[in-house]
Amino acid sequence: MRDDTDDYAKLFLNGVPMMDVRAPVEFGKGAFPGVINLPLMTDLERHKVGTCYKQHGQQAAINLGHRLVSGEVKAARIEAWSHFARQHPEGYLYCFRGGLRSQLVQQWLSEAGVDYPRVRGGYKSLRRFLIDTLDAAVRECPLTLVAGLTGTGKTDVISQLEGSVDLEHHAHHRGSSFGRHATPQPSQIDFENALAIAVLKVRAAGYRHLVLEDEGRMVGSCSIPLELYQSMLRAPLVWLEEDLTARVSRILRDYVSDMHAEHARLHPDQPEQAFAAFAEYLLGSLLRIRKRLGGERHQRLDDLMRQALDVQQRTGEIDLHRAWIEGLLNEYYDPMYAYQRNAKEERVVFSGDQQSVVEYLRERTMGAMDKG
């Protein structure tokens, strides 16, 4: 049998399969990317055992747990764990603290002829490791931020750099009023865990200079950890430049073509429902900034958007969307970003088109790599 482990870095760096045996409610509050929840107890069973523990003590709670998870229920759960173990012979299991629950699952598996190791310290220690990993990176790694007007392709630059971390990818949100995807964002803890794992992998690859996109504190509903955000506020900026036509085309791709496709994948056999959800996404995104746009300007852009949606639904043609996109850039986003650029001018260390920015950042990050 393989030994239990507390090599948390190895688990995350290698994407080792892990089975989380906590109750679903615990898993929903925070988990790790790719981990499967196969609980020892349901939420109701866990609640009953917890109440028993408070009223009658540990042994009574353990006895109740064995009565609740017995017979066919126990057999079905052992089969689910065994299946996971067969599918992932290199994996591990864990509970919250690496205590009674994971030990019991391990024991029942062993009695069924399956020896499977657990993560010592459980979820709590794994989570603590990731918090410390991110804190260490903030202390030890210089940051450079990619900034620029809306639609310049900042995320495209991030994706081309090995020493970068994509905040918007891990938050599952593009960071603007139009930034929602068709599927929900992760929980705050899931976002933080994924972010820390990404930083761990970048540092393990030898990079000690991190590149991030310039973001506000909130990326949709996900909040950038405070220490990281405070470091971002002091970091040098590289300003990405792009002409208006290319920016409009990129936004047309991201927020019209790609978002319609996202909704279509959610409703593969209901194209009308998919389009209705897509239209609601666009119109709702514009409505969210109505106060900042002003009533007259919002109404004008809303009319243009509705006309474009009508033509798109009837013919599939999307070029009419360019009108409201260009209007929104010229009248709303660009003035706002110009103001921000002036406020951050002293932090801008380089500006240029996508190719020159990528080359500059590669030279900057490669020069700061660990050589050991």
Side-chain angles (χ1 to χ4, degrees):
M1 177 179 173
R2 291 179 295 124
D3 292 335
D4 296 341
T5 187
D6 56 10
D7 190 344
Y8 310 130
K10 184 177 179 181
L11 292 173
F12 290 124
L13 287 173
N14 296 329
V16 175
M18 290 188 282
M19 174 172 63
D20 185 325
V21 302
R22 294 177 301 157
V25 67
E26 297 172 279
F27 186 83
K29 291 177 181 177
F32 308 111
V35 170
I36 302 299
N37 184 214
L38 294 172
L40 170 63
M41 292 184 289
T42 64
D43 293 336
L44 179 59
E45 290 162 353
R46 174 176 173 267
H47 175 73
K48 290 179 177 177
V49 169
T51 300
C52 181
Y53 178 86
K54 291 176 184 176
Q55 295 176 347
H56 306 292
Q58 184 182 56
Q59 191 55 53
I62 291 173
N63 293 340
L64 176 60
H66 280 282
R67 290 197 299 275
L68 291 171
V69 185
S70 60
E72 293 182 2
V73 170
K74 177 179 176 180
R77 289 179 195 173
I78 291 174
E79 176 52 36
W81 302 328
S82 299
H83 178 74
F84 182 91
R86 290 192 298 270
Q87 293 292 110
H88 305 288
E90 76 280 26
Y92 292 83
L93 66 90
Y94 67 80
C95 62
F96 182 64
R97 292 188 181 87
L100 286 174
R101 284 185 287 179
S102 58
Q103 290 173 27
L104 185 58
V105 171
Q106 194 176 48
Q107 176 190 325
W108 286 356
L109 278 171
S110 180
E111 291 169 357
V114 179
D115 289 327
Y116 209 63
R118 61 193 172 91
V119 179
R120 287 194 286 267
Y123 172 84
K124 187 175 183 180
S125 293
L126 289 164
R127 168 78 173 147
R128 182 73 258 169
F129 169 78
L130 292 180
I131 291 171
D132 292 344
T133 293
L134 194 56
D135 287 347
V138 172
R139 290 194 308 270
E140 299 165 10
C141 297
L143 303 179
T144 299
L145 306 186
V146 179
L149 298 174
T150 299
T152 50
K154 299 182 285 291
T155 301
D156 295 342
V157 168
I158 293 293
S159 70
Q160 296 179 59
L161 298 168
E162 293 81 4
S164 66
V165 176
D166 190 341
L167 295 167
E168 293 185 358
H169 169 73
H170 297 299
H172 194 52
H173 195 283
R174 293 190 181 99
S176 71
S177 60
F178 287 79
R180 292 180 302 131
H181 287 275
T183 49
Q185 288 190 254
S187 70
Q188 177 65 26
I189 290 176
D190 286 2
F191 168 62
E192 292 172 4
N193 287 343
L195 187 58
I197 292 168
V199 168
L200 178 70
K201 290 180 176 179
V202 167
R203 298 198 71 186
Y207 293 92
R208 55 184 178 86
H209 187 135
L210 303 180
V211 179
L212 308 171
E213 185 172 336
D214 188 26
E215 300 279 1
R217 177 76 194 279
M218 301 299 297
V219 185
S221 62
C222 293
S223 175
I224 296 174
L226 181 58
E227 292 78 8
L228 174 59
Y229 183 65
Q230 289 175 334
S231 183
M232 290 171 65
L233 291 175
R234 302 186 295 270
L237 301 173
V238 171
W239 193 267
L240 181 59
E241 297 174 345
E242 181 73 277
D243 65 67
L244 180 63
T245 301
R247 292 165 56 212
V248 170
S249 293
R250 185 174 285 109
I251 291 171
L252 184 68
R253 177 198 71 190
D254 290 347
Y255 296 109
V256 177
S257 297
D258 289 355
M259 286 303 302
H260 183 212
E262 281 193 27
H263 285 91
R265 285 192 293 271
L266 285 183
H267 307 282
D269 302 318
Q270 300 169 302
E272 290 186 3
Q273 185 175 343
F275 194 87
F278 161 67
E280 182 181 351
Y281 148 77
L282 274 187
L283 293 165
S285 298
L286 187 65
L287 184 62
R288 269 193 291 278
I289 54 173
R290 182 181 186 277
K291 286 186 178 179
R292 283 175 280 172
L293 285 170
E296 182 277 329
R297 186 161 35 183
H298 170 265
Q299 187 61 57
R300 178 162 43 84
L301 293 173
D302 183 84
D303 289 343
L304 290 172
M305 185 180 283
R306 290 179 187 275
Q307 292 170 25
L309 285 166
D310 179 60
V311 171
Q312 182 183 359
Q313 187 171 25
R314 287 188 288 106
T315 70
E317 176 57 53
I318 64 172
D319 265 1
L320 218 59
H321 284 283
R322 292 179 184 273
W324 68 262
I325 293 171
E326 187 168 337
L328 197 59
L329 291 178
N330 283 328
E331 300 177 42
Y332 177 71
Y333 281 110
D334 286 5
M336 180 172 62
Y337 273 76
Y339 174 80
Q340 293 176 1
R341 166 74 190 254
N342 289 335
K344 300 173 180 179
E345 186 66 44
E346 62 183 23
R347 292 167 53 202
V348 177
V349 295
F350 184 84
S351 62
D353 62 17
Q354 187 169 128
Q355 182 178 347
S356 61
V357 163
V358 168
E359 290 173 356
Y360 172 83
L361 289 170
R362 279 183 177 151
E363 183 177 343
R364 190 177 179 95
T365 54
M366 292 293 287
M369 284 189 73
D370 292 326
K371 305 302 182 183

